Amino acid sequence: MDEKQKLLVIIGPTAVGKTKLSIEMAKRYNGEIISGDSMQIYRHMDIGTAKITKDEMEGIPHYLIDIKQPEENFSAAEFQVLVRDKINEIAARGKLPIIVGGTGLYIQSVIYDYQFADVPGDELFRLQLEEKARGIGNEALYQELLAIDPESAEQIHPNNVRRVIRALEIYHLTGKTMREFQSTQQPDLLYQTALIGLTMDREKLYDRINARVDEMIEKGLLQEVKGLYQQGLRQCQSIQAIGYKEIYQYLDGEITLQQAIEDLKQNSRRYAKRQLTWFRNKMDVQWFDITDVKNFEKKLLEISHYVEGKLQVKSNTY
């Protein structure tokens, strides 16, 4: 049997410190980085998605950043194809592929043998739903999905009718929600994977999230979102991202700027909590607590030992 391709994956909640660790790992193990973030794929959305800067990259190649326009949709299935191709390209150059991000479903779809098309289609049912969407509207159809499969609905924008219909179709054909159906697949890991999760004391993480939001505002988040707002971008997946939808409410005159900032902080904290729950429930992660950032070098050594044991790679820093 062929030996599986080596792959390092770094996950964790927003603002925990994944970017810093990923650069260190890439330097140590001759790696190149693939973004595992569902929003950093969008151009012109840099501050609100905490996109890595050229300086922060320290010369390490990064992929799947700035590949879509804000009005375009993007799915886990498309991500799966793009990332698997990129893993092969990086490995062919003799480099270690490193996926870094916080979008659990996207990363899960890549590293496990998930078959998105395993449920057969029901064309008649699908056509009926398409007709229904035209009659009652996208939001009403979305509410139907929310009632039977809230977990999937949370991952789908109401105007992404194709995905809403697909989730309803799976339920119609199997009697299971999309997530329940996927859990019955019992997929295998496709790669020789070191799956590292970063965590820290919740209060400290929340303080970091709040500070990051303040920094985003200082860096010009308001101007960034205004640019999208003035282009008339509305009913699209990207604008539902945390950091954009709150500022849109302010620009629409629904809430004050201060309220928008508070909502952004609260939504980011809630998102971090959901990320941790997802990773702990869905993936076999080796967790490392990095609450004590003063001991980062010590923690880096601990993580490095784990990676070397799991992937049989050698550090080029020794």
Side-chain angles (χ1 to χ4, degrees), residues 75-77 80 104-106 108-110 112-119 149 151-152 155-156 163 166-167 170-171 174-188 278 282:
S75 68
Q80 183 189 66
L105 175 63
Y106 279 39
Q108 193 181 28
S109 76
V110 170
Y112 292 99
D113 188 18
Y114 268 114
Q115 305 297 325
F116 282 101
D118 267 1
V119 176
D149 186 1
E151 194 177 0
S152 291
Q155 305 289 326
I156 301 172
R163 284 190 69 203
R166 182 59 179 153
I170 287 172
Y171 187 79
T174 67
K176 296 185 175 78
T177 66
M178 195 183 287
R179 203 70 71 238
E180 286 169 344
F181 171 73
Q182 287 174 345
S183 69
T184 65
Q185 289 184 308
Q186 297 181 322
D188 297 320
W278 172 281
K282 309 282 185 185

Side-chain angles (χ1 to χ4, degrees), residues 116-128:
F116 282 101
D118 267 1
V119 176
D122 182 334
E123 192 171 352
L124 180 60
F125 182 72
R126 197 159 56 242
L127 288 170
Q128 287 171 344

Side-chain angles (χ1 to χ4, degrees), residues 5 13 15 22 32 46 65 89 91 109 124 141 153 171 179 181 221 225 238 250 275 292 302 311 313:
Q5 166 59 44
S22 67
E32 296 187 358
D46 304 334
I65 294 173
E89 281 177 33
S109 76
L124 180 60
L141 193 68
Y171 187 79
R179 203 70 71 238
F181 171 73
L221 177 63
V225 181
S238 61
Y250 159 66
Q275 284 175 302
D292 186 4
E302 190 183 325
L311 299 182
V313 291

